Amino acid sequence: MDLNGKHIVLGLTGGVACYKAAYLCRLLIKEGAQVQVVMTEAAAQFITPVTMQALSNRPVYVSQWDAREPNNMAHINLSREADAILVAPASADFMAKLLHGRADDLLSLMCLARPQETVPLLLAPAMNREMWAHPATVRNVAQLRQDGATVLGVGEGDQACGETGDGRMLEPEELLEDLIAFFQPKLLAGRRVLISAGPTYEAIDPVRGITNLSSGKMGFALARAAYEAGAQVSLVAGPVSLPTPRGAQRSNVRSALEMDAACQAQAEHADVFIATAAVADWRVAQAATQKIKKQAGSGAPTLDFVENPDILATLAAGARARSGVLYCVGFAAESQDLLAQASAKRLRKGVPLLVGNIGPATFGQDENALLLVDAHGAVEMPRNSKLVLARQLVAHIAARLPAA
Ligand code: CTP
């Protein structure tokens, strides 16, 4: 549970997107957070405090004149115990108000009175596309960012008003991911990370091919962890149906040759390359252009193979890696003798860091155990979820990078 022990003040302002705040509240609690809801009177026109109280299991605050607090200072008490204030939805009007430091309702009063150093403010804007694009809103968002608020993105699509465009509030799952990411240390801030993930698919003919059991989950978890750590992430993904981690630029490829071309091109702009993909070592020399038909009596067809390029070894031997600009990390999925195999593979691939795992014990699963091998020895990372391991691995990589 990524928000365990975190105390979040969830602020709601007036907007149709308040209906999503109910589900967001549930998600925050499921992830371990304590949620204190504070609503504006306008928000209470869209969703009732009763609903939010039932979901958050705490009394909801709406008014700055609420006498329930012994000192009658809800704006101070509620903000002092918060790890963050997340206003979702944040209306155009509310942002305009915050910008001027106005404080004529409990939520804006609380935002203004919060200790800026210890209680970060995150805003999830929600409004009609014209309002979002209006120069006043654009100006306000820029100024709020300058004043230290984290203004999250907006979604694009159908709006409650019937128009289509930018300005929808992000979905609750997206806001949850953004909040979790917010709390992660920014160990890769300013770094560009390229990740290869998943299997490759080598065609035999237009309907058949050779692939492997890699699920892509470890690479996708690393993409998420690197983004959470502040990196700009490019993800070159073989054929998997996993959702794209937030913030990652994804390129879909199929064959090893396509993966090679995408990785070589994108590595030009990368500071780190993490090769988690299970790249096919060989491809069919001449894939048939038409389906190979079974012919009675003529037996099985014979396939000739040629070797695929080694993406990792090529990049590790390239000029950027040799001059220390590109830091390459390899993976090794083995079936036994992990330490010996991984150590040998690290030298063979010419990479400073190689991450070993037992393939059959992890393929397709949400958990894994890793063995990190570098020039100084090996470090075991015990079995855990792939996301937790990915965050730990990001920390190991960040510690090994030359100063930015
Ligand atoms: N790799 C790569 N391109 C290839 C093959 C492998 O980039 N054509 C990368 C993988 O992404 C991984 C590392 O190299 O990071 C090791 O992959 P693995 O398949 O374990 O290594 P191989 O060199 O194929 O060795 P083996 O004989 O064990 O299969």
Side-chain angles (χ1 to χ4, degrees):
M1 294 207 291
D2 285 325
L3 295 177
N4 237 342
K6 293 275 188 254
H7 186 102
I8 308 297
V9 171
L10 177 61
L12 275 66
T13 70
V16 183
C18 276
Y19 80 92
K20 294 187 192 173
Y23 187 46
L24 174 61
C25 179
R26 290 277 297 137
L27 290 180
L28 294 173
I29 286 172
K30 267 194 179 160
E31 209 55 50
Q34 281 187 325
V35 179
Q36 173 62 59
V37 176
V38 178
M39 299 171 68
T40 63
E41 281 180 12
Q45 295 286 327
F46 291 90
I47 188 168
T48 67
V50 175
T51 301
M52 297 310 294
Q53 176 172 352
L55 291 172
S56 64
N57 201 25
R58 279 171 172 251
V60 168
Y61 286 80
V62 178
S63 163
Q64 71 270 46
W65 313 120
D66 191 320
R68 278 175 296 178
E69 293 291 304
N71 60 356
N72 214 311
M73 292 192 199
H75 64 293
I76 301 291
N77 305 348
L78 298 181
S79 66
R80 293 306 180 268
E81 54 187 18
D83 290 298
I85 300 173
L86 169 61
V87 182
S91 67
D93 179 60
F94 188 74
M95 293 200 298
K97 193 167 172 178
L98 277 186
L99 173 77
H100 290 288
R102 288 185 51 204
D104 60 356
D105 66 76
L106 177 59
L107 187 57
S108 57
L109 180 60
M110 196 183 64
C111 290
L112 190 66
R114 82 188 200 283
Q116 293 206 43
E117 298 297 304
T118 52
V119 185
L121 173 64
L122 292 89
L123 304 169
M127 64 198 74
N128 162 272
R129 66 192 175 110
E130 299 293 357
M131 293 165 78
W132 178 245
H134 195 284
T137 306
V138 173
R139 213 166 43 228
N140 292 351
V141 166
Q143 186 61 52
L144 283 166
R145 286 192 171 130
Q146 231 179 343
D147 290 349
T150 298
V151 183
L152 303 172
V154 291
E156 187 267 335
D158 294 343
Q159 302 202 309
C161 52
E163 297 179 4
T164 305
D166 288 341
R168 288 165 57 102
M169 189 169 83
L170 293 175
E171 297 306 318
E173 292 85 353
E174 295 173 320
L175 290 174
L176 177 72
E177 265 193 48
D178 283 359
L179 185 66
I180 291 170
F182 179 83
F183 286 119
Q184 293 299 318
K186 302 299 166 218
L187 300 172
L188 293 178
R191 309 281 191 171
R192 294 160 302 177
V193 175
L194 170 63
I195 297 168
S196 72
T200 60
Y201 176 92
E202 308 299 327
I204 296 173
D205 68 18
V207 298
R208 302 184 185 91
I210 298 169
T211 185
N212 60 63
L213 287 175
S214 167
S215 65
K217 285 181 179 173
M218 192 66 224
F220 276 59
L222 269 164
R224 175 170 171 181
Y227 177 70
E228 287 177 346
Q232 204 178 304
V233 179
S234 301
L235 177 62
V236 175
V240 292
S241 54
L242 297 173
T244 307
R246 268 187 85 56
Q249 283 291 332
R250 176 176 182 170
S251 322
N252 287 324
V253 296
R254 213 159 80 126
S255 65
L257 286 180
E258 284 172 18
M259 185 173 275
D260 183 46
C263 288
Q264 302 298 338
Q266 297 191 30
E268 286 298 311
H269 316 285
D271 305 307
V272 179
F273 173 50
I274 312 176
T276 70
V279 187
D281 291 319
W282 307 280
R283 67 180 178 277
V284 177
Q286 208 86 59
T289 52
Q290 292 184 351
K291 186 182 174 194
I292 303 171
K293 302 299 275 187
K294 195 164 54 177
Q295 278 167 3
S298 64
T302 307
L303 297 175
D304 288 325
F305 290 92
V306 289
E307 200 169 328
N308 274 324
D310 191 315
I311 305 168
L312 176 63
T314 309
L315 281 173
R320 282 174 61 80
R322 279 187 286 111
S323 59
V325 180
L326 178 68
Y327 187 85
C328 292
V329 182
F331 264 69
E334 306 294 344
S335 56
Q336 73 280 314
D337 300 335
L338 192 53
L339 179 58
Q341 299 278 2
S343 306
K345 197 165 277 182
R346 187 183 80 83
L347 298 175
R348 207 163 67 237
K349 300 276 176 179
V351 293
L353 180 64
L354 193 117
V355 184
N357 57 171
I358 296 292
T362 179
F363 280 151
Q365 298 194 21
D366 292 326
E367 291 199 335
N368 200 357
L370 304 176
L371 183 73
L372 264 57
V373 181
D374 69 6
H376 307 289
V379 180
E380 266 188 56
M381 292 167 62
R383 198 164 179 83
N384 213 323
S385 78
K386 286 183 176 174
L387 182 57
V388 169
L389 290 171
R391 288 179 182 144
Q392 293 170 355
L393 183 54
V394 157
H396 276 283
I397 293 171
R400 287 167 168 81
L401 292 181

